[in-house]
Amino acid sequence: MKSFYFVLADFILFLHALYVGFVVFGYAAIVVGGLCGWSFVRNPTFRWVHLAAIGVVAVQGALGVLCPLTILEDYLRTLGGDQAETATFIARWLRRLIFVDVPLSTLNLVYVAFAFLVLATMIVLPPRRLERDKKWEKASPANELVS
């Protein structure tokens, strides 16, 4: 049964790493893509999901709430009877990548600042409008009055 908890803990860690990767590399893709004219970085779904992802982290940080993924992973490892050192090779490397040894208050400040940076990027490089919004604009009686 112990190994089951460690497998679950490793899976949670993997999901956590994917989440962090989406936020960090997603932002890098938005900036580089904006400079290179890549159309996918203006996809409204991608952009709003990305903003929501860092927004959740920033709100948790501002409120001093610990990450639920970290809490769950630690809990599963405790249920397994050991600490993080018993994680698999890949899990140990993932932990080294996403967990840094700085004060929590510093991390929380970084999360909030990064969220504001992502929000500013939404203004500077806005996502394209949804097709349904364009159709509404074309069909609006107000546009006929202006014409």
Side-chain angles (χ1 to χ4, degrees):
M1 190 64 165
K2 285 184 180 184
S3 64
F4 174 73
Y5 291 119
F6 292 130
V7 169
L8 280 178
D10 286 352
F11 179 71
I12 296 299
L13 177 61
F14 178 71
L15 290 178
H16 199 171
L18 286 177
Y19 192 97
V20 171
F22 173 70
V23 170
V24 172
F25 294 115
Y27 185 73
I30 290 166
V31 171
V32 172
L35 295 172
C36 295
W38 300 340
S39 63
F40 87 92
V41 300
R42 296 184 71 112
N43 178 297
T45 303
F46 168 67
R47 295 293 295 281
W48 288 108
V49 168
H50 184 260
L51 180 61
I54 187 58
V56 166
V57 172
V59 168
Q60 285 175 338
L63 297 176
V65 176
L66 294 177
C67 175
L69 293 174
T70 303
I71 293 168
L72 180 57
E73 181 202 348
D74 290 346
Y75 177 71
L76 290 169
R77 293 200 190 286
T78 302
L79 286 178
D82 283 315
Q83 298 300 319
E85 289 75 31
T86 61
T88 63
F89 174 77
I90 292 173
R92 286 193 303 269
W93 278 101
L94 287 175
R95 285 186 73 80
R96 288 181 186 143
L97 284 173
I98 65 174
F99 295 111
V100 292
D101 190 22
V102 296
L104 189 56
S105 59
T106 302
L107 274 180
N108 291 340
L109 184 63
V110 169
Y111 297 152
V112 172
F114 192 69
F116 277 110
L117 183 63
V118 171
L119 183 60
T121 305
M122 290 287 279
I123 297 165
V124 173
L125 181 69
R128 68 178 173 271
R129 296 177 59 194
L130 295 172
E131 290 300 317
R132 65 180 165 86
D133 292 342
K134 291 178 186 175
K135 289 177 188 172
W136 169 258
E137 190 176 277
K138 288 178 187 175
S140 173
N143 288 338
E144 292 174 13
L145 294 175
V146 175
S147 299

